Amino acid sequence: MSKYDYLIVGAGLFGCVFAREAADKGKRVLVIDKRGHIAGNIYTEEVEGINVHKYGAHIFHTSDKAVWEYVNRFAEFNNYINCPVARYKDELYNMPFNMNTFSKMWGIRTPAEAKEIIERQRAEAGITQPKNLEEQALSLVGRDIYEKLVKGYTEKQWGRRATELPAFIIKRLPVRFIYDNNYFNDRYQGIPMGGYTRMCEKMLSGIEVRLGVDYFADKAELDALADKVLFTGMIDEYFGYRYGELEYRSLRFESETLDCDNYQGNAVVNYTEYEVPYTRVIEHKHFEFGAQPKTVVTREYPAVWHKGDEPYYPVNDDRNNVLYAKYKALADAEPHVIFGGRLGMYRYYDMDDTVSAAFGLLKAEGM
């Protein structure tokens, strides 16, 4: 008889939600992770009294009240509102594109003036059937916004020139003709006070967790412990890259502690010119309105993913989606194993999507 009902491979948000709910339904659960910590990529580590987002900035936002109420069971969220600033050379602009952005860019004051400039530039571009990302962006917002705030950032993010990227990557570019710097439109938004790691610790309270465990190194032995396995790692790796590697984008981070109380005045500053190698600088204390005498900043560099690197998000273009479908067919036929999370499902998820997807899998499992 198996010792556990579920072996959960991966202690990230998806695994934590599934583990909590399964345990509350009376299931015997074991969670393992190859890293030396829980919480996956939302892991936060305290440095100089500041909760540092070790794998990039994570702001929880959702319009799903049930999801919001669920995560608030495990953490008290503050009232942080994401209002990033974009830096192009020596110019600073508010994001997302709104009347503060347009007023700074063109010296105008009214929505009518901003609309007239954007429509004129769209017409000048003369693009009716965009063939690449550059043409798509120009057809949506015109040349000024594209050149200063879209082009360089996007090229760094994807590691390819905008003329080489497919148009569908940018389905729309939200333009607001109001003076509102709130990046998200969602009803609920904030950062868990005390950090995401503490939130995940509460989710896993009373559940057995083993860290520093390489699932593939002892797969047969670990599989034998449970009736079912929830695998939240890379689906192509699980199947030994049988059909080849799926494509991911990776990230590299450089963090430093500075002997000042305020480095850039904002939690997130995007660097949109191509010549600056990083895409953004995060000043972590501003997520929680910190007043510590020192500060911690992180520069985020996009990187090409190679086997063995940390995969941060999937590249869901046509080629990779076709390849994923082959792996999905294998997954559906795999006995006693279910796949979840952004790597197991090869899909980009915001955190609220991750929680919802975990709920969906729990329901499919009869919980």
Side-chain angles (χ1 to χ4, degrees):
M1 182 178 177
S2 302
K3 185 176 180 181
Y4 303 96
D5 296 300
Y6 287 96
L7 168 68
I8 298 174
V9 182
L13 182 59
F14 193 102
C16 287
V17 172
F18 192 98
R20 176 75 273 146
E21 294 306 290
D24 287 350
K25 296 295 193 298
K27 303 297 183 182
R28 301 161 300 158
V29 175
L30 169 63
V31 179
I32 65 171
D33 201 292
K34 65 181 179 181
R35 291 174 173 170
H37 60 74
I38 63 168
N41 285 353
I42 64 171
Y43 173 69
T44 49
E45 178 181 69
E46 186 175 312
V47 178
E48 297 289 345
I50 300 163
N51 290 307
V52 174
H53 298 219
K54 294 294 286 187
Y55 302 98
H58 289 83
I59 299 107
F60 201 98
H61 58 97
T62 187
S63 292
D64 189 324
K65 187 176 182 180
V67 168
W68 182 246
E69 290 177 344
Y70 181 79
V71 294
N72 274 267
R73 284 173 47 192
F74 307 101
E76 181 180 357
F77 282 71
N78 64 18
N79 61 339
Y80 175 81
I81 300 297
N82 190 30
C83 298
V85 171
R87 178 171 174 172
Y88 175 77
K89 298 184 177 179
D90 291 326
E91 302 168 14
L92 294 175
Y93 295 98
N94 292 105
M95 299 286 285
F97 314 137
N98 68 74
M99 284 303 299
N100 288 309
T101 317
F102 309 143
S103 176
K104 177 70 177 292
M105 188 172 289
W106 298 314
I108 52 94
R109 292 177 296 171
T110 68
E113 291 174 297
K115 289 178 182 179
E116 190 277 328
I117 292 172
I118 291 173
E119 288 305 314
R120 185 178 72 243
Q121 292 190 3
R122 291 178 63 197
E124 288 170 353
I127 298 166
T128 55
Q129 294 184 318
K131 295 186 285 293
N132 55 54
L133 184 145
E134 176 166 289
E135 291 185 357
Q136 174 80 323
L138 289 170
S139 70
L140 291 171
V141 294
R143 185 159 298 279
D144 287 350
I145 297 173
Y146 168 68
E147 292 284 355
K148 291 189 175 185
L149 302 179
V150 178
K151 178 177 166 60
Y153 189 93
T154 304
E155 291 179 340
K156 288 187 289 187
Q157 191 175 37
W158 291 97
R160 291 160 62 187
R161 291 298 188 179
T163 52
E164 300 169 357
L165 290 165
F168 71 78
I169 288 178
I170 296 183
K171 293 183 173 65
R172 65 187 186 92
L173 285 170
V175 174
R176 298 179 186 167
F177 295 101
I178 53 176
Y179 289 91
D180 179 9
N181 297 326
N182 183 358
Y183 192 80
F184 300 119
N185 290 316
D186 289 312
R187 170 67 178 84
Y188 308 103
Q189 183 176 171
I191 302 285
M193 297 168 67
Y196 286 102
T197 302
R198 187 182 298 178
M199 181 183 82
C200 290
E201 285 173 351
K202 290 185 178 179
M203 285 183 172
L204 294 174
S205 177
I207 294 171
E208 184 178 352
V209 179
R210 301 180 190 175
L211 300 175
V213 176
D214 184 342
Y215 172 68
F216 292 110
D218 297 295
K219 184 177 182 301
E221 182 180 331
L222 289 166
D223 285 347
L225 294 175
D227 295 333
K228 270 196 168 182
V229 174
L230 166 59
F231 183 77
T232 67
M234 297 161 55
I235 190 170
D236 52 343
E237 182 183 21
Y238 181 90
F239 292 106
Y241 305 102
R242 186 178 307 177
Y243 300 124
E245 297 171 13
L246 288 164
E247 189 177 358
Y248 304 87
R249 289 292 289 167
S250 194
L251 296 170
R252 179 171 62 85
F253 303 98
E254 289 182 355
S255 296
E256 60 179 330
T257 302
L258 302 176
D259 196 17
C260 67
D261 65 347
N262 188 359
Y263 173 71
Q264 63 185 16
N266 205 48
V268 182
V269 176
N270 293 344
Y271 284 74
T272 61
E273 60 181 299
Y274 185 79
E275 291 70 24
V276 176
Y278 42 86
T279 50
R280 57 183 180 172
V281 176
I282 310 302
E283 188 167 9
H284 302 269
K285 70 188 303 179
H286 296 310
F287 287 129
E288 298 186 60
F289 314 106
Q292 297 89 347
K294 294 187 178 182
T295 194
V296 180
V297 298
T298 300
R299 290 170 179 82
E300 186 174 306
Y301 297 80
V304 175
W305 179 85
H306 300 285
K307 192 186 294 185
D309 295 341
E310 190 65 39
Y312 281 88
Y313 49 94
V315 180
N316 289 116
D317 59 16
D318 292 342
R319 185 191 73 81
N320 284 290
N321 288 340
V322 168
L323 183 56
Y324 168 68
K326 293 182 178 181
Y327 283 116
K328 177 68 164 59
L330 292 178
D332 290 342
E334 187 76 355
H336 313 302
V337 182
I338 52 178
F339 294 79
R342 63 190 170 84
L343 302 180
M345 295 173 164
Y346 197 68
R347 190 176 309 164
Y348 180 81
Y349 280 135
D350 284 326
M351 284 182 286
D352 62 328
D353 298 326
T354 300
V355 175
S356 294
F359 287 167
L361 190 57
L362 285 156
K363 185 176 180 180
E365 289 292 296
M367 288 182 277

